[in-house]
Amino acid sequence: MAQGCLKCLKYTMCVANFLCFIGGVSVLSFGIYMTTKFKPVAITTTVPILTFANMLLISGIVITCVSFLGFLGALKENRCLLLTFFLLLFFLMLMQLTAACLLLVYDSKITTEVEKTLKDHLEEAKKPNGNTTEAMMAWDNIQKNFDCCGVRNASDWGDQVPKSCCPDQCVGPQPHYWEKGCLDTLKSWFEDNFLTIGISVIILCIIEVLGMCFSMTLFCHISRSGLGYKL
């Protein structure tokens, strides 16, 4: 009975990690596509390397490597791989909890940094050749999708208000612009989806805890059976 449960646990880990591996490869591929097709736009000016494409690349690499270790460790019943898988999941969970705490503690500073980043990108988009830059394309996408204009309001654009600021593509002698700025709109969107984001983080932590429990159970069984380094 115990052997049957352990075999079930082993193959459950294999299937789950294989699915995670496929997901990681997909995220990594999309990150590579974003890097090659679009010029990276920094999420924050404090850390210029922190772009959406780079975040996808890092996430894809981490998911792929961790899930591969879990899959191979369970399939081969290798104690070293299972222990490495356990430790990586543990550190990932600590990083996620730390990031969540920092978001709560430094909420005002993060808002200030986001506002500064938006203003810097807006100034870049307002340059003479700004209509063809990635910064302008990013602003058009934000303003169209979130029904907002500028950082605080349309006055941030001065005399160069883009058509994406208007519900009707700025038709007429006195075009009507979106009243709300994108900073307030993004804050409202985050607050409206806070519960969904929180539940997603909790589910992710539960999956990681289950992965750690499964890997440690197999680790202990392999240690008792004397197959710690079987390949």
Side-chain angles (χ1 to χ4, degrees):
M1 182 66 180
Q3 290 294 328
C5 291
L6 286 170
K7 282 188 177 180
C8 180
L9 185 63
K10 169 184 173 179
Y11 291 116
T12 299
M13 273 194 67
C14 288
V15 172
N17 280 289
F18 179 74
L19 294 176
C20 290
F21 179 82
I22 297 299
V25 171
S26 301
V27 173
L28 180 60
S29 301
F30 186 61
I32 295 173
Y33 172 79
M34 291 285 291
T35 304
T36 55
K37 290 294 183 180
F38 303 99
K39 180 181 176 181
V41 178
I43 297 174
T44 169
T45 53
T46 305
V47 188
I49 198 173
L50 186 61
T51 65
F52 182 68
N54 287 344
M55 290 179 66
L56 287 176
L57 287 173
I58 294 171
S59 300
I61 291 172
V62 170
I63 295 171
T64 302
C65 293
V66 173
S67 58
F68 179 76
L69 283 175
F71 173 81
L72 194 62
L75 183 66
K76 296 294 186 180
E77 297 184 3
N78 186 288
R79 191 171 63 174
C80 291
L81 293 178
L82 287 172
L83 182 60
T84 304
F85 176 72
F86 173 88
L87 292 174
L88 286 175
L89 283 182
F90 178 73
F91 287 126
L92 283 174
M93 189 172 65
L94 283 182
M95 290 174 61
Q96 291 164 5
L97 294 175
T98 302
C101 292
L102 290 175
L103 284 173
L104 293 174
V105 173
Y106 296 102
D107 178 63
S108 58
K109 290 185 178 180
I110 293 173
T111 301
T112 303
E113 179 61 29
V114 170
E115 182 178 6
K116 181 177 181 298
T117 302
L118 288 174
K119 286 182 177 179
D120 289 343
H121 287 316
L122 188 141
E123 292 300 322
E124 182 180 348
K126 287 169 62 177
K127 292 178 180 179
N129 61 340
N131 290 332
T132 58
T133 63
E134 283 75 10
M136 190 66 240
M137 292 170 61
W139 267 105
D140 283 337
N141 288 330
I142 293 173
Q143 292 175 155
K144 288 177 181 178
N145 293 327
F146 289 94
D147 296 341
C148 59
C149 185
V151 180
R152 293 291 182 181
N153 49 53
S155 63
D156 293 328
W157 288 102
D159 298 330
Q160 307 175 31
V161 182
K163 292 183 178 180
S164 56
C165 272
C166 305
D168 53 1
Q169 292 296 310
C170 296
V171 177
Q174 293 183 339
H176 171 67
Y177 305 127
W178 299 112
E179 295 181 1
K180 294 188 68 174
C182 292
L183 178 63
D184 293 334
T185 304
L186 290 173
K187 286 176 63 179
S188 299
W189 179 88
F190 182 80
E191 291 170 357
D192 293 340
N193 292 274
F194 183 79
L195 181 60
T196 303
I197 296 171
I199 292 174
S200 300
V201 172
I202 292 172
I203 292 174
L204 185 59
C205 288
I206 291 174
I207 293 173
E208 289 169 346
V209 170
L210 288 175
M212 288 190 290
C213 293
F214 288 175
S215 61
M216 190 50 61
T217 302
L218 282 175
F219 177 87
C220 294
H221 167 69
I222 294 168
S223 298
R224 287 196 300 266
S225 61
L227 300 174
Y229 295 94
K230 178 184 174 183
L231 290 175

